[in-house]
Amino acid sequence: MSTHRSIKDALYEQVARIGKAAASPKRLELIELLCQSPKAVETLAREAGISVKLASAHLKELKTARLVETERQGRFIEYRLASEDVGRLWVMLRMLAEDRLLELQEALRQLSEATHEWQGRNRDELLSQARAGDVVVIDVRPEPEYVAGHLPYARSLPLAELQARLAELPKDRPVIAYCRGPFCLMSADAVKLLRQQGYNALQLREGVVEWAA
């Protein structure tokens, strides 16, 4: 084998480490969760619906590929994305899958039919309406994720607190709820609850990482 061939093989092998690390549904979900905010392994395991042992194994693979990093916070170890580029990689991969995979398109279509999506022309329109107070944008993720980053003019109103805090929302303007992105169902649940209570509620499919990307 030529020297050039060996070098090329070694280069592709290194890039393939990223693909191998991401080639797991649960590892992709963990990346999406870490796009929201740094989290402890126990939190990640609970939100991903897996055991702490399995979450730790997946995180080890992501850390080996330099996709996530750890930082000690008191008695706990927090995981975080190694770079904003990891979040952009997740968004680009998901968008490519949505564009190419008919099965995913159908699943998202069915999900969309069950919700009431905001149908504005673009983000600037939404920001303009939110700035003017013509719509109310609520972030229904857990509060630590809101603190880590949120859409402009959005209020923090976690789904778990929504029922008890309905009085904070006006009924004379549309309420637009968002959460972690297109695969997250918290905003859909929030819209369902709000509409049952007489609010003109709509779902924004995009989350913070999609806007940042």
Side-chain angles (χ1 to χ4, degrees):
M1 183 179 295
S2 70
T3 301
H4 286 173
R5 183 70 266 168
S6 298
I7 293 173
K8 289 189 69 173
D9 288 346
L11 294 174
Y12 283 112
E13 177 63 28
Q14 289 304 308
V15 176
R17 291 174 59 191
I18 302 297
K20 291 176 181 177
S24 158
K26 280 302 175 184
R27 288 202 284 273
L28 288 175
E29 185 174 357
L30 292 173
I31 288 174
E32 184 186 40
L33 289 169
L34 289 173
C35 285
Q36 315 305 316
S37 68
K39 298 174 185 284
V41 63
E42 293 81 5
T43 302
L44 289 165
R46 182 179 68 254
E47 294 181 346
I50 55 179
S51 68
V52 171
K53 181 178 180 180
L54 184 55
S56 297
H58 283 312
L59 290 165
K60 181 179 179 180
E61 292 293 327
L62 293 172
K63 188 177 181 181
T64 298
R66 308 293 194 272
L67 295 178
V68 303
E69 298 174 343
T70 56
E71 181 178 346
R72 180 170 291 280
Q73 298 288 342
R75 296 185 297 108
F76 300 97
I77 299 293
E78 268 192 350
Y79 286 84
R80 64 180 67 241
L81 295 184
S83 162
E84 291 182 358
D85 287 338
V86 181
R88 285 191 280 269
L89 172 65
W90 156 243
V91 173
M92 290 171 60
L93 184 60
R94 178 186 56 73
M95 291 177 65
L96 178 62
E98 288 186 25
D99 182 60
R100 305 308 305 166
L101 301 179
L102 296 178
E103 298 87 349
L104 180 55
Q105 293 172 12
E106 176 61 20
L108 289 171
R109 185 189 64 78
Q110 293 179 9
L111 180 61
S112 176
E113 287 181 352
T115 62
H116 300 268
E117 288 188 22
W118 179 73
Q119 299 294 336
R121 291 188 299 274
N122 54 48
R123 298 176 182 182
D124 289 340
E125 178 185 352
L126 176 60
L127 292 180
S128 176
Q129 291 180 356
R131 184 188 304 113
D134 296 331
V135 301
V136 176
V137 179
I138 61 173
D139 183 325
V140 299
R141 299 173 301 161
E143 187 175 7
E145 296 182 11
Y146 174 87
V147 172
H150 56 270
L151 270 58
Y153 312 107
R155 304 182 188 179
S156 177
L157 205 60
L159 179 61
E161 304 173 15
L162 184 56
Q163 180 73 59
R165 296 175 58 184
L166 289 174
E168 299 178 24
L169 295 173
K171 283 193 172 182
D172 61 346
R173 284 166 284 166
V175 178
I176 300 175
Y178 75 91
C179 51
R180 292 169 176 159
F183 291 0
C184 177
L185 300 180
M186 287 189 290
S187 57
D189 290 342
V191 167
K192 181 179 179 181
L193 171 61
L194 288 169
R195 294 183 79 89
Q196 288 174 344
Q197 298 298 321
Y199 290 86
N200 177 17
L202 303 165
Q203 180 193 25
L204 181 65
R205 289 185 68 235
E206 293 183 332
V208 172
V209 66
E210 283 76 23
W211 281 57

